[in-house]
Amino acid sequence: MAVILAALALLPGARLPRTGPVPQAKPEAAIEAPAAPQPEKKQEEEQVPKPQPEPAPAQNPETPPAASEVPTPQPKPSETPAAPAGEKFGPPSPTPEDRAKPPTEQTLEEQHLTIEPESDADHAECTRELQSLGVVFRETPRIDDGNGCGIDKPIIVSQALPGITLKPEATLRCPTALALARWMKGSVIPTASVALPESGDITTINQASAYICRLRNGADTGKISEHARGNAIDIASFSFKKGEDVAVRSRREDSTLTGAFQRTVSAAGCLYFNTVLDPESDAAHETHFHLDVIERKGGFRYCH
């Protein structure tokens, strides 16, 4: 009891210190706090750099790898087939100079033309029709004179119809020979029998031009002639068994039966050919008929 009383006596003199220790956060509180970058962790990341890809050789990003890095297979010289220009791989490409010229100013060489292929079936049917009409002809090997001049399946005609010689014999495509035979049978022979009965039968067709490699009208520039493709024949005159030859010339004002004969067969020519040019058409045809079987869009025909 004496001790308790002594302690109570000392309490009034007791005082708190002026300063004291600042409370420190417990380690557990720091761990529970939201995650934040720690200096020590950053230092570790700086000390241990992330793996980096190996640097590529210095070059333009758009420049493809060198040929030595990515080799491209190349055909051996022996594996590269050689073909004549204008056949298997087509004609040579026109040069910029060629393209700059309009077609009417281009030479035959500058036009880079090719020979039109012909169907075996169509050719066989055509030759059967010639045989049925009595046309005398023979097959001949493919003609290729370059620059698009030639005939895929040419024939040589010696008689346009039985008993009517084609002089000289003509190298043509079969459709041209067939149109000639039909024109002779359907128009020329019947017209001659009415207009010139005293002359007798027609014995010869005198042709001035059949297949020949050239441009139209023999010009140096311009479109290729249908003669250069076997599609055309020029008729200069007709020979008869008794009378004189009937030459093809300007007969617009000729009121004789000979004039009527020429004008009639010229007009009828467009029933069989796609182009008929007579002496009244232009100066280049003053002495013959030009007859051809060129195919135009829509079946268009030109007759003059």
Side-chain angles (χ1 to χ4, degrees), residues 100-123:
K101 294 181 181 179
T104 54
E105 296 182 8
Q106 291 182 350
T107 65
L108 187 59
E109 293 77 10
E110 291 170 339
Q111 295 181 47
H112 306 284
L113 303 173
T114 57
I115 298 172
E116 294 292 334
E118 297 186 62
S119 161
D120 291 338
D122 290 346
H123 181 71

Side-chain angles (χ1 to χ4, degrees), residues 15-29:
R15 293 182 182 179
L16 291 174
R18 295 179 179 270
T19 61
V22 178
Q24 300 292 327
K26 296 182 180 180
E28 290 80 5

Side-chain angles (χ1 to χ4, degrees), residues 174-220:
C174 183
T176 312
L178 184 58
L180 177 64
R182 288 172 171 171
W183 175 60
M184 290 296 297
K185 183 177 181 178
S187 175
V188 180
I189 293 174
T191 302
S193 67
V194 174
L196 307 168
E198 70 282 358
S199 296
D201 296 335
I202 296 175
T203 59
T204 306
I205 302 171
N206 300 292
Q207 60 99 357
S209 179
Y211 169 76
I212 183 172
C213 182
R214 64 173 174 82
L215 296 178
R216 293 182 182 178
N217 301 326
D220 295 328

Side-chain angles (χ1 to χ4, degrees), residues 11 17-18 21 31 35 40 47 49 53 55 70 90 138 167 172 179 196 208 226 232 239 249 261-262 271:
L11 285 176
R18 295 179 179 270
I31 294 172
E40 293 78 10
Q47 291 174 356
V70 184
R138 64 183 184 274
K167 185 178 180 181
L172 303 165
L196 307 168
E226 292 307 303
S239 296
R249 59 181 176 81
F261 164 77
Q262 179 177 301
L271 299 175

Side-chain angles (χ1 to χ4, degrees), residues 274 295-301:
N274 295 336
E295 294 184 3
R296 298 185 178 91
K297 292 181 179 179
F300 174 74
R301 299 189 178 205

